[in-house]
Amino acid sequence: MSASEQAKAAAEEAFARGAYPHLVNSRPTVDKASTLSAFAEALSFPDYFGHNLDALYDCLTDLSWLPPGEHVLIWPGSDALRKAEPKTYLAIRSVLSDAQRALGPGTGTGPGSWQLTVVLPDA
């Protein structure tokens, strides 16, 4: 199954369980700036998003501008960044992992809470 097919399946699975899928446009994710912008677009980050890794973590662990519930960030094509800028890829993966741990399953199960799940179809 290709990354785009896996991304579509992940989005359908998220939607079926009542989660909100957010698909990252993977075309521009070949450097740090374009990857952060693609995440900001996918999750409708507020205008105050600072376009750096600290700001990425802050927004991923807040999500208060989105409806409560589980939000699934699906990043197909992450492999392009891994090949182009391996250190940047690892840094972003680390932020995604930390944010998912902070808002992962069991961390926000009450009304008005948010959860974050990260799916990397080609990782």
Side-chain angles (χ1 to χ4, degrees):
M1 187 182 297
S2 73
S4 62
E5 291 170 331
Q6 289 176 1
K8 183 180 177 188
E12 290 172 354
E13 184 180 300
F15 187 73
R17 69 174 181 264
Y20 300 94
H22 301 275
L23 187 60
V24 175
N25 177 358
S26 61
R27 276 202 171 91
T29 58
V30 294
D31 62 25
K32 182 179 177 181
S34 60
T35 300
L36 294 176
S37 292
F39 288 155
E41 182 180 328
L43 286 164
S44 304
F45 282 176
D47 291 339
Y48 59 78
F49 173 58
H51 293 274
N52 60 56
L53 295 179
D54 289 337
L56 177 62
Y57 179 82
D58 290 346
C59 283
L60 289 174
T61 57
D62 180 351
L63 301 179
S64 61
W65 60 91
L66 296 173
E70 180 188 6
H71 292 270
V72 181
L73 180 65
I74 305 165
W75 182 19
S78 63
D79 199 45
L81 180 64
R82 184 183 61 78
K83 290 176 182 173
E85 295 187 12
K87 288 181 182 178
T88 299
Y89 172 80
L90 291 174
I92 289 174
R93 280 288 307 264
S94 178
V95 170
L96 294 175
S97 178
D98 290 349
Q100 181 172 263
R101 244 188 324 278
L103 287 183
T107 59
T109 55
S113 62
W114 291 263
Q115 290 183 326
L116 177 67
T117 303
V118 178
V119 176
L120 304 173
D122 59 347

Coordinates of all heavy atoms in Angstrom, one line a residue, residues 34-115:
S34 N 9.1 24.8 5.3 CA 7.9 24.4 4.6 C 7.1 23.3 5.3 O 5.9 23.2 5.3 CB 8.2 23.9 3.2 OG 9.2 22.8 3.2
T35 N 7.8 22.5 6.1 CA 7.2 21.5 6.9 C 6.4 22.1 8.0 O 5.2 21.7 8.2 CB 8.2 20.5 7.5 OG1 8.9 19.9 6.4 CG2 7.6 19.4 8.3
L36 N 7.0 23.1 8.7 CA 6.2 23.8 9.8 C 5.0 24.5 9.2 O 3.9 24.5 9.8 CB 7.1 24.7 10.5 CG 8.3 24.1 11.3 CD1 9.2 25.2 11.9 CD2 7.7 23.1 12.4
S37 N 5.1 25.1 8.0 CA 4.0 25.7 7.4 C 2.9 24.7 7.0 O 1.7 25.0 7.2 CB 4.4 26.5 6.1 OG 5.2 27.6 6.5
A38 N 3.3 23.6 6.5 CA 2.3 22.5 6.2 C 1.6 22.0 7.4 O 0.4 21.8 7.3 CB 3.0 21.4 5.4
F39 N 2.3 21.9 8.5 CA 1.6 21.5 9.8 C 0.6 22.6 10.2 O -0.5 22.3 10.6 CB 2.6 21.2 10.9 CG 3.4 20.0 10.8 CD1 4.6 19.9 11.4 CD2 2.9 18.9 10.0 CE1 5.4 18.7 11.3 CE2 3.7 17.7 9.9 CZ 4.9 17.6 10.6
A40 N 1.1 23.8 10.1 CA 0.2 25.0 10.5 C -1.0 25.0 9.7 O -2.1 25.2 10.2 CB 1.0 26.3 10.4
E41 N -0.9 24.7 8.4 CA -2.1 24.7 7.5 C -3.0 23.6 7.8 O -4.2 23.7 7.9 CB -1.6 24.7 6.1 CG -2.8 24.7 5.1 CD -2.3 24.7 3.6 OE1 -1.2 25.2 3.3 OE2 -3.0 24.1 2.8
A42 N -2.4 22.4 8.0 CA -3.2 21.2 8.3 C -4.1 21.3 9.5 O -5.2 20.8 9.6 CB -2.3 20.0 8.3
L43 N -3.5 21.9 10.6 CA -4.2 22.0 11.9 C -4.7 23.4 12.1 O -5.2 23.7 13.3 CB -3.2 21.6 13.0 CG -2.9 20.1 13.1 CD1 -1.7 19.9 13.9 CD2 -4.1 19.4 13.6
S44 N -4.7 24.3 11.1 CA -5.3 25.6 11.2 C -4.7 26.4 12.4 O -5.4 27.0 13.2 CB -6.8 25.6 11.4 OG -7.4 24.9 10.3
F45 N -3.3 26.3 12.6 CA -2.7 27.0 13.7 C -3.1 28.5 13.7 O -3.3 29.1 12.7 CB -1.2 26.9 13.6 CG -0.6 25.6 14.0 CD1 0.8 25.3 13.8 CD2 -1.4 24.5 14.5 CE1 1.4 24.1 14.2 CE2 -0.8 23.3 14.9 CZ 0.6 23.1 14.7
P46 N -3.2 29.0 14.9 CA -3.4 30.5 15.0 C -2.3 31.3 14.4 O -1.2 30.8 14.2 CB -3.5 30.7 16.6 CG -3.6 29.3 17.2 CD -3.0 28.4 16.2
D47 N -2.7 32.6 14.1 CA -1.7 33.5 13.5 C -0.4 33.7 14.3 O 0.6 34.0 13.8 CB -2.3 34.8 13.2 CG -3.4 34.8 12.1 OD1 -3.4 33.8 11.3 OD2 -4.3 35.6 12.1
Y48 N -0.5 33.5 15.6 CA 0.6 33.7 16.5 C 1.7 32.6 16.4 O 2.7 32.6 17.1 CB 0.2 33.9 17.9 CG -0.6 32.8 18.6 CD1 0.1 31.7 19.1 CD2 -1.9 32.9 18.8 CE1 -0.7 30.7 19.7 CE2 -2.7 31.9 19.4 CZ -2.0 30.8 19.8 OH -2.7 29.8 20.5
F49 N 1.4 31.5 15.6 CA 2.4 30.4 15.5 C 3.7 31.0 15.1 O 3.8 31.6 14.1 CB 1.8 29.4 14.5 CG 2.8 28.3 14.2 CD1 3.3 27.5 15.2 CD2 3.2 28.0 12.9 CE1 4.3 26.5 14.9 CE2 4.1 27.0 12.6 CZ 4.6 26.2 13.6
G50 N 4.7 30.6 15.8 CA 6.1 31.2 15.6 C 7.0 30.5 14.6 O 8.1 31.0 14.4
H51 N 6.5 29.5 13.9 CA 7.3 28.8 12.9 C 8.7 28.3 13.4 O 9.7 28.5 12.7 CB 7.4 29.6 11.6 CG 6.1 29.8 11.0 ND1 5.5 28.9 10.1 CD2 5.1 30.8 11.1 CE1 4.3 29.3 9.7 NE2 4.1 30.4 10.3
N52 N 8.7 27.8 14.6 CA 9.9 27.1 15.1 C 9.5 25.9 15.9 O 8.3 25.7 16.1 CB 10.8 28.1 15.9 CG 10.0 28.6 17.1 OD1 9.5 27.9 18.0 ND2 9.9 29.9 17.2
L53 N 10.4 25.1 16.3 CA 10.1 23.8 16.9 C 9.4 24.0 18.3 O 8.5 23.2 18.6 CB 11.3 22.9 17.1 CG 11.9 22.5 15.8 CD1 13.1 21.6 16.0 CD2 10.9 21.7 14.9
D54 N 9.8 25.0 19.1 CA 9.1 25.3 20.3 C 7.6 25.7 20.1 O 6.7 25.2 20.8 CB 9.8 26.4 21.1 CG 11.2 25.9 21.7 OD1 11.3 24.7 21.9 OD2 12.0 26.8 21.9
A55 N 7.4 26.5 19.1 CA 6.1 26.9 18.8 C 5.2 25.8 18.2 O 4.0 25.7 18.5 CB 6.1 28.1 17.8
L56 N 5.9 24.9 17.5 CA 5.2 23.7 17.0 C 4.7 22.9 18.2 O 3.5 22.5 18.3 CB 6.1 22.8 16.1 CG 5.5 21.5 15.6 CD1 4.3 21.7 14.7 CD2 6.6 20.7 14.9
Y57 N 5.6 22.6 19.2 CA 5.2 21.9 20.3 C 4.0 22.6 21.1 O 3.1 21.9 21.5 CB 6.4 21.6 21.3 CG 6.0 20.9 22.5 CD1 5.9 19.5 22.5 CD2 5.7 21.6 23.7 CE1 5.5 18.8 23.6 CE2 5.3 20.9 24.8 CZ 5.2 19.5 24.8 OH 4.9 18.8 25.9
D58 N 4.2 23.9 21.3 CA 3.2 24.6 22.0 C 1.8 24.5 21.3 O 0.8 24.3 22.0 CB 3.6 26.1 22.1 CG 4.7 26.3 23.0 OD1 5.1 25.4 23.8 OD2 5.3 27.4 23.0
C59 N 1.8 24.6 20.0 CA 0.5 24.5 19.3 C -0.1 23.1 19.3 O -1.3 22.9 19.5 CB 0.6 25.1 17.9 SG 0.7 26.9 17.8
L60 N 0.8 22.1 19.1 CA 0.4 20.7 19.1 C -0.2 20.3 20.5 O -1.0 19.4 20.6 CB 1.5 19.8 18.7 CG 1.9 19.9 17.3 CD1 3.2 19.0 17.1 CD2 0.8 19.4 16.3
T61 N 0.3 20.9 21.6 CA -0.2 20.5 22.9 C -1.3 21.4 23.4 O -1.7 21.3 24.6 CB 1.0 20.4 23.9 OG1 1.6 21.7 23.9 CG2 2.0 19.3 23.5
D62 N -1.7 22.4 22.6 CA -2.8 23.3 23.0 C -4.1 22.9 22.3 O -5.0 22.3 22.9 CB -2.4 24.7 22.7 CG -3.5 25.7 23.1 OD1 -4.6 25.3 23.4 OD2 -3.2 26.9 23.0
L63 N -4.1 23.1 21.0 CA -5.3 22.7 20.1 C -6.6 23.4 20.5 O -7.7 22.9 20.0 CB -5.4 21.2 20.0 CG -4.2 20.4 19.4 CD1 -4.5 18.9 19.4 CD2 -3.8 20.9 18.0
S64 N -6.6 24.4 21.4 CA -7.8 24.9 21.9 C -8.7 25.6 20.8 O -9.9 25.9 21.1 CB -7.5 25.9 23.1 OG -6.7 26.9 22.6
W65 N -8.1 25.9 19.7 CA -8.9 26.6 18.6 C -9.7 25.5 17.8 O -10.5 25.9 17.0 CB -8.0 27.4 17.7 CG -6.9 26.5 17.1 CD1 -7.0 25.9 15.9 CD2 -5.7 26.2 17.7 NE1 -5.8 25.2 15.7 CE2 -5.0 25.3 16.8 CE3 -5.0 26.5 18.8 CZ2 -3.7 24.8 17.0 CZ3 -3.8 26.0 19.1 CH2 -3.1 25.2 18.2
L66 N -9.4 24.2 18.0 CA -10.1 23.1 17.4 C -11.1 22.6 18.3 O -11.0 22.7 19.5 CB -9.1 22.1 17.0 CG -8.0 22.5 16.0 CD1 -7.0 21.3 15.8 CD2 -8.6 22.8 14.6
P67 N -12.1 21.9 17.8 CA -13.1 21.3 18.7 C -12.5 20.2 19.6 O -11.5 19.6 19.2 CB -14.1 20.6 17.7 CG -13.5 20.6 16.4 CD -12.4 21.6 16.4
P68 N -13.0 20.1 20.8 CA -12.5 19.0 21.7 C -12.6 17.6 21.0 O -13.5 17.4 20.2 CB -13.3 19.1 22.9 CG -13.9 20.5 22.9 CD -14.0 20.8 21.4
G69 N -11.7 16.8 21.4 CA -11.7 15.4 20.9 C -10.4 15.0 20.4 O -9.4 15.7 20.6
E70 N -10.3 13.9 19.7 CA -9.1 13.4 19.2 C -8.8 14.0 17.8 O -9.7 14.0 16.9 CB -9.1 11.8 19.0 CG -7.8 11.3 18.5 CD -7.8 9.8 18.2 OE1 -8.9 9.2 18.2 OE2 -6.8 9.3 17.8
H71 N -7.6 14.5 17.7 CA -7.2 15.0 16.4 C -6.0 14.2 15.9 O -5.0 13.9 16.6 CB -6.8 16.5 16.5 CG -7.9 17.4 16.8 ND1 -8.7 18.0 15.9 CD2 -8.5 17.7 18.0 CE1 -9.7 18.6 16.4 NE2 -9.6 18.5 17.7
V72 N -6.1 13.7 14.6 CA -5.2 12.8 14.1 C -4.4 13.6 13.0 O -5.0 14.0 12.0 CB -5.8 11.6 13.5 CG1 -4.8 10.6 12.9 CG2 -6.7 10.8 14.5
L73 N -3.1 13.8 13.2 CA -2.2 14.5 12.3 C -1.6 13.4 11.4 O -0.9 12.5 11.9 CB -1.2 15.3 13.0 CG -0.2 16.0 12.1 CD1 -0.9 17.1 11.3 CD2 0.9 16.6 13.0
I74 N -1.9 13.4 10.1 CA -1.4 12.4 9.2 C -0.4 13.1 8.2 O -0.8 14.0 7.5 CB -2.6 11.8 8.4 CG1 -3.7 11.3 9.3 CG2 -2.1 10.7 7.4 CD1 -5.0 11.0 8.7
W75 N 0.8 12.6 8.3 CA 1.9 13.2 7.5 C 2.5 12.3 6.5 O 3.5 11.6 6.7 CB 3.0 13.8 8.4 CG 4.1 14.5 7.7 CD1 4.2 15.0 6.5 CD2 5.4 14.7 8.3 NE1 5.4 15.6 6.3 CE2 6.2 15.4 7.4 CE3 6.0 14.4 9.5 CZ2 7.5 15.7 7.6 CZ3 7.3 14.7 9.8 CH2 8.0 15.4 8.8
P76 N 1.8 12.1 5.3 CA 2.4 11.3 4.3 C 3.5 12.0 3.7 O 3.6 13.2 3.6 CB 1.2 11.1 3.3 CG 0.4 12.3 3.4 CD 0.5 12.7 4.9
G77 N 4.5 11.3 3.2 CA 5.6 12.0 2.5 C 6.7 12.5 3.5 O 7.6 13.3 3.1
S78 N 6.6 12.1 4.7 CA 7.6 12.5 5.7 C 9.0 12.0 5.3 O 10.0 12.6 5.7 CB 7.3 12.0 7.1 OG 7.3 10.6 7.2
D79 N 9.0 11.0 4.5 CA 10.3 10.4 4.1 C 11.1 11.4 3.2 O 12.3 11.4 3.2 CB 10.0 9.2 3.3 CG 11.3 8.3 3.1 OD1 11.9 8.1 4.2 OD2 11.5 7.8 2.0
A80 N 10.4 12.3 2.5 CA 11.1 13.3 1.7 C 12.0 14.2 2.6 O 13.1 14.5 2.2 CB 10.1 14.2 0.9
L81 N 11.4 14.7 3.7 CA 12.2 15.5 4.6 C 13.3 14.7 5.3 O 14.5 15.1 5.4 CB 11.3 16.1 5.7 CG 12.1 17.0 6.7 CD1 12.7 18.2 6.1 CD2 11.1 17.4 7.9
R82 N 13.0 13.4 5.6 CA 14.1 12.5 6.2 C 15.3 12.4 5.3 O 16.4 12.5 5.7 CB 13.5 11.2 6.5 CG 14.5 10.2 7.2 CD 14.0 8.8 7.4 NE 13.7 8.1 6.2 CZ 14.6 7.6 5.4 NH1 15.8 7.6 5.6 NH2 14.2 6.9 4.3
K83 N 15.0 12.3 4.0 CA 16.1 12.2 3.0 C 16.8 13.5 2.7 O 18.0 13.6 2.6 CB 15.6 11.6 1.7 CG 15.2 10.2 1.8 CD 14.5 9.7 0.5 CE 14.1 8.3 0.6 NZ 13.3 7.8 -0.6
A84 N 16.0 14.6 2.7 CA 16.6 15.9 2.4 C 17.4 16.5 3.5 O 18.4 17.1 3.4 CB 15.5 16.9 1.9
E85 N 16.8 16.4 4.7 CA 17.4 17.1 5.9 C 17.2 16.1 7.1 O 16.3 16.3 7.9 CB 16.7 18.4 6.2 CG 17.0 19.5 5.2 CD 16.4 20.8 5.5 OE1 16.1 21.1 6.7 OE2 16.4 21.7 4.6
P86 N 18.0 15.1 7.2 CA 17.8 14.1 8.3 C 17.8 14.7 9.7 O 16.9 14.2 10.5 CB 19.0 13.2 8.1 CG 19.5 13.4 6.8 CD 19.1 14.8 6.4
K87 N 18.6 15.6 10.0 CA 18.6 16.2 11.4 C 17.3 17.0 11.7 O 16.7 16.9 12.8 CB 19.8 17.1 11.6 CG 21.1 16.4 11.7 CD 22.3 17.3 11.9 CE 23.6 16.5 12.0 NZ 24.7 17.4 12.2
T88 N 16.8 17.7 10.7 CA 15.5 18.4 10.8 C 14.4 17.4 11.0 O 13.5 17.6 11.9 CB 15.3 19.3 9.6 OG1 16.3 20.3 9.5 CG2 13.9 20.0 9.7
Y89 N 14.4 16.4 10.2 CA 13.4 15.3 10.3 C 13.4 14.7 11.7 O 12.3 14.6 12.3 CB 13.7 14.2 9.3 CG 12.8 13.0 9.4 CD1 11.5 13.0 8.9 CD2 13.3 11.9 10.1 CE1 10.7 11.9 9.1 CE2 12.5 10.8 10.2 CZ 11.2 10.8 9.7 OH 10.4 9.7 9.9
L90 N 14.5 14.4 12.2 CA 14.6 13.8 13.6 C 14.1 14.8 14.7 O 13.4 14.4 15.6 CB 16.0 13.3 13.9 CG 16.5 12.1 13.1 CD1 17.9 11.8 13.4 CD2 15.6 10.9 13.4
A91 N 14.4 16.1 14.5 CA 14.0 17.1 15.4 C 12.5 17.2 15.4 O 11.8 17.3 16.5 CB 14.7 18.4 15.1
I92 N 11.9 17.2 14.2 CA 10.5 17.4 14.1 C 9.8 16.1 14.6 O 8.8 16.2 15.3 CB 10.1 17.7 12.6 CG1 10.5 19.1 12.3 CG2 8.6 17.5 12.4 CD1 10.3 19.6 10.9
R93 N 10.3 14.9 14.3 CA 9.8 13.7 14.8 C 9.8 13.7 16.3 O 8.8 13.2 17.0 CB 10.6 12.5 14.3 CG 10.3 12.0 12.9 CD 9.0 11.3 12.7 NE 8.7 10.2 13.7 CZ 8.9 8.9 13.4 NH1 9.4 8.6 12.2 NH2 8.7 8.0 14.3
S94 N 10.8 14.2 16.9 CA 10.9 14.3 18.4 C 9.8 15.2 18.9 O 9.2 14.8 19.9 CB 12.3 14.8 18.8 OG 12.4 14.9 20.2
V95 N 9.6 16.3 18.3 CA 8.5 17.2 18.8 C 7.2 16.5 18.6 O 6.3 16.6 19.5 CB 8.5 18.6 18.0 CG1 7.3 19.4 18.3 CG2 9.8 19.3 18.3
L96 N 6.9 15.9 17.5 CA 5.7 15.2 17.3 C 5.5 14.1 18.3 O 4.4 13.9 18.9 CB 5.6 14.6 15.9 CG 5.6 15.5 14.7 CD1 5.7 14.7 13.4 CD2 4.4 16.4 14.7
S97 N 6.5 13.3 18.6 CA 6.4 12.3 19.6 C 6.1 12.8 21.0 O 5.3 12.3 21.7 CB 7.8 11.5 19.6 OG 7.8 10.5 20.6
D98 N 6.8 13.9 21.4 CA 6.6 14.5 22.7 C 5.2 15.1 22.8 O 4.6 14.9 23.8 CB 7.6 15.7 22.9 CG 9.0 15.2 23.1 OD1 9.2 13.9 23.3 OD2 10.0 16.0 23.1
A99 N 4.7 15.7 21.8 CA 3.4 16.3 21.8 C 2.3 15.2 21.9 O 1.3 15.3 22.6 CB 3.1 17.1 20.5
Q100 N 2.6 14.1 21.1 CA 1.6 13.0 21.2 C 1.6 12.4 22.5 O 0.5 12.0 23.0 CB 2.0 11.9 20.1 CG 1.0 10.8 20.1 CD 1.3 9.8 18.9 OE1 0.6 9.9 17.9 NE2 2.2 8.9 19.1
R101 N 2.8 12.3 23.2 CA 2.8 11.7 24.6 C 2.0 12.6 25.5 O 1.3 12.2 26.4 CB 4.2 11.6 25.0 CG 4.6 10.2 25.3 CD 6.0 10.0 25.9 NE 7.1 10.9 25.6 CZ 7.8 10.8 24.5 NH1 7.6 9.8 23.7 NH2 8.8 11.7 24.2
A102 N 2.2 14.0 25.3 CA 1.5 14.9 26.2 C 0.0 14.9 26.0 O -0.7 15.1 27.0 CB 2.0 16.3 25.9
L103 N -0.5 14.6 24.8 CA -1.9 14.6 24.5 C -2.4 13.3 24.0 O -3.4 13.2 23.3 CB -2.3 15.7 23.5 CG -2.3 17.1 24.0 CD1 -2.7 18.1 22.8 CD2 -3.1 17.4 25.2
G104 N -1.7 12.2 24.3 CA -2.0 10.9 23.8 C -3.2 10.3 24.5 O -3.8 10.9 25.4
P105 N -3.5 9.0 24.1 CA -4.7 8.3 24.7 C -4.6 8.3 26.2 O -3.5 8.1 26.8 CB -4.5 6.9 24.1 CG -3.8 7.1 22.8 CD -2.8 8.3 23.1
G106 N -5.7 8.6 26.8 CA -5.8 8.5 28.3 C -5.4 9.8 28.9 O -5.6 10.0 30.1
T107 N -4.9 10.8 28.2 CA -4.4 12.1 28.8 C -5.6 13.1 28.9 O -5.5 14.0 29.7 CB -3.2 12.7 28.1 OG1 -3.6 12.9 26.7 CG2 -2.0 11.8 28.2
G108 N -6.5 13.0 28.0 CA -7.6 14.0 27.9 C -8.8 13.3 27.5 O -9.2 13.4 26.3
T109 N -9.5 12.6 28.4 CA -10.7 11.9 28.0 C -12.0 12.5 28.4 O -13.0 12.0 28.1 CB -10.6 10.4 28.6 OG1 -10.4 10.6 30.0 CG2 -9.4 9.7 28.0
G110 N -11.9 13.6 29.2 CA -13.1 14.2 29.7 C -13.7 15.2 28.6 O -13.1 15.5 27.6
P111 N -14.9 15.7 28.9 CA -15.5 16.7 27.9 C -14.6 17.9 27.9 O -14.0 18.3 28.9 CB -16.8 17.0 28.6 CG -17.0 16.0 29.7 CD -15.7 15.4 30.0
G112 N -14.5 18.5 26.7 CA -13.7 19.7 26.5 C -12.2 19.4 26.6 O -11.4 20.3 26.8
S113 N -11.8 18.2 26.3 CA -10.3 17.9 26.2 C -9.9 17.5 24.8 O -10.7 17.1 24.0 CB -10.0 16.8 27.2 OG -10.7 15.6 26.9
W114 N -8.6 17.5 24.6 CA -8.1 17.2 23.3 C -7.1 16.1 23.4 O -6.4 16.0 24.4 CB -7.4 18.5 22.7 CG -8.3 19.6 22.4 CD1 -8.8 19.9 21.2 CD2 -8.8 20.6 23.3 NE1 -9.6 20.9 21.2 CE2 -9.7 21.4 22.5 CE3 -8.7 20.8 24.6 CZ2 -10.4 22.5 23.1 CZ3 -9.4 21.9 25.2 CH2 -10.2 22.7 24.4
Q115 N -7.0 15.3 22.3 CA -6.0 14.3 22.2 C -5.3 14.4 20.8 O -6.0 14.9 19.9 CB -6.6 12.9 22.2 CG -7.2 12.5 23.6 CD -7.7 11.1 23.6 OE1 -8.3 10.6 22.6 NE2 -7.5 10.4 24.7

